[in-house]
C-alpha cells in the first residue's frame, strides 16, 4: 500500500461534473494506491502513519488539529515505467480487491482516528484541485 500525502489549505474532487468531496482550510490530500498483497495489516499501518504524521503547521498531526482528509484512489501509484513508454499496471490490485481496501482505509481513519474524511469516486475520471501548503508532499508505504 502506497500513499502520496500532501498538506493542503483546501481541496476538492470533482467526478462527472459533481463535487464528491472537499474541505477548506488546513487538511491532507491522500492519493492511495493498493497492490496485490495488501490487507488489514497494511491498512492499519498506513492509516496510523497518515493520521499521526507531524506535517501540519507547528509540527502537529492531522489528529492533533482535527484536520480533514481527502482520500483519492490512485492505481497509477503502482505503475511500472522501467521499460518502454507505456506504463504497466500489473502491480496495482484489481478493482474487486482495491475498492474494498480503499473503503476500509477510509473507515479506519474515520472510526479509529475520528477524522473527517472526504473521498473521490472509485474508478471515476476525477479532477482533484488543491492548494498545496508548504509545499509538503510525502510518499508513505506500508
Amino acid at each position: 500500500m502506497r500513499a502520496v500525502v500532501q498538506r493542503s489549505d483546501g481541496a476538492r474532487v470533482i467526478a462527472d461534473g459533481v463535487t464528491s468531496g472537499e474541505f477548506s482550510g488546513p487538511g491532507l490530500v491522500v492519493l492511495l494506491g493498493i497492490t496485490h498483497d495488501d490487507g488489514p495489516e497494511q491498512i492499519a499501518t498506513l492509516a496510523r502513519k497518515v493520521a499521526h504524521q507531524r506535517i501540519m503547521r507547528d509540527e502537529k498531526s492531522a489528529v492533533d488539529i482535527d484536520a480533514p482528509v481527502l482520500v483519492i484512489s490512485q492505481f497509477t501509484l503502482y505503475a511500472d515505467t522501467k521499460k518502454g513508454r507505456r506504463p504497466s499496471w500489473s502491480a496495482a490490485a484489481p478493482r474487486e480487491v482495491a475498492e474494498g481496501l480503499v473503503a476500509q482505509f477510509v473507515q479506519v481513519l474515520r472510526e479509529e482516528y475520528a477524522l473527517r474524511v472526504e473521498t473521490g469516486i472509485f474508478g471515476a475520471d476525477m479532477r482533484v484541485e488543491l492548494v498545496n501548503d508548504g509545499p509538503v508532499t510525502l510518499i508513505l508505504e506500508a
Side-chain angles (χ1 to χ4, degrees):
M1 190 169 283
R2 183 175 292 158
V4 174
V5 180
Q6 295 179 296
R7 185 174 76 189
S8 178
D9 191 30
R12 74 178 177 153
V13 60
I14 302 163
D16 298 324
V18 177
T19 299
S20 65
E22 69 182 317
F23 67 85
S24 60
L28 297 175
V29 175
V30 177
L31 305 177
L32 182 65
I34 308 293
T35 192
H36 299 280
D37 56 356
D38 287 335
E41 184 179 327
Q42 288 76 26
I43 290 169
T45 298
L46 195 59
R48 183 176 58 252
K49 285 182 176 185
V50 167
H52 290 290
Q53 204 68 223
R54 298 170 64 96
I55 60 172
M56 305 307 288
R57 298 271 175 200
D58 300 321
E59 294 190 25
K60 303 281 185 182
S61 71
V63 169
D64 292 335
I65 66 167
D66 197 27
V69 180
L70 176 60
V71 175
I72 308 294
S73 62
Q74 188 78 38
F75 76 93
T76 61
L77 292 179
Y78 278 100
D80 181 352
T81 59
K82 292 177 186 154
K83 290 188 198 175
R85 295 177 294 167
R86 181 173 294 158
S88 168
W89 313 114
S90 62
R95 178 186 187 111
E96 49 278 358
V97 172
E99 187 170 11
L101 293 176
V102 170
Q104 289 173 35
F105 178 81
V106 167
Q107 182 178 359
V108 168
L109 288 177
R110 287 177 176 154
E111 293 178 2
E112 290 189 29
Y113 300 103
L115 292 170
R116 180 180 135 221
V117 182
E118 301 283 329
T119 65
I121 298 173
F122 192 94
D125 184 17
M126 296 176 274
R127 293 178 51 98
V128 180
E129 301 172 353
L130 70 139
V131 178
N132 201 330
D133 182 19
V136 174
T137 302
L138 301 177
I139 300 171
L140 302 177
E141 295 194 68

